[in-house]
Amino acid sequence: QVELVESGGGLVEAGGSLRLSCAASRNIESIYALGWYRDSPGKVREQVAAMVDGTPTNYADSVKGRFTISRDLAKNTVDLQMASLKPEDTAEYICNAGLIVGGIYEDYWGQGLQVTVFS
């Protein structure tokens, strides 16, 4: 089991940058998969970025070249560095962890935090 707590959201002007962090309650190196998703009104939840065993595996087309997912082993966090932000990046961002327990994949979610990009 793992608990996830996000931080770093807020209000930012278009073109600006923001860094989101997600602190895990267990050793982050023990977590098989980590990712960031986002929810926007009227849209399906979107996977923004993901990594498996510490290696980035996927970025949404809309954020490629602008967002970077990484782990900070010293802080035990998974971070999302967001640059060149656009108003369409406005969403609730949610941290995700995937554990394999007894051969079964289990998903865990943070509570989410709001990112608002204004022009």
Side-chain angles (χ1 to χ4, degrees), residues 28-100:
I28 204 154
E29 290 186 274
S30 72
I31 299 173
Y32 174 69
L34 292 161
W36 285 92
Y37 288 71
R38 64 187 181 188
D39 284 339
S40 304
K43 295 184 180 179
V44 176
R45 177 171 290 186
E46 176 185 32
Q47 184 187 72
V48 176
M51 60 173 23
V52 172
D53 283 339
T55 300
T57 54
N58 184 59
Y59 290 97
D61 287 341
S62 58
V63 308
K64 282 179 182 175
R66 300 189 298 122
F67 289 13
T68 304
I69 187 171
S70 62
R71 292 186 312 185
D72 186 325
L73 300 183
K75 296 181 179 178
N76 208 52
T77 61
V78 54
D79 300 336
L80 185 68
Q81 180 67 46
M82 305 185 292
S84 301
L85 282 161
K86 305 174 182 180
E88 51 263 44
D89 293 318
T90 295
E92 181 181 47
Y93 284 74
I94 307 147
C95 180
N96 170 263
L99 300 177
I100 298 177

Side-chain angles (χ1 to χ4, degrees), residues 2-17:
V2 60
E3 294 183 2
L4 304 168
V5 179
E6 301 100 333
S7 62
L11 195 63
V12 63
E13 190 171 9
S17 299

Side-chain angles (χ1 to χ4, degrees), residues 20 33 56 101 113-115 118:
L20 306 182
V101 181
L113 48 72
Q114 182 66 33
V115 171
F118 65 93

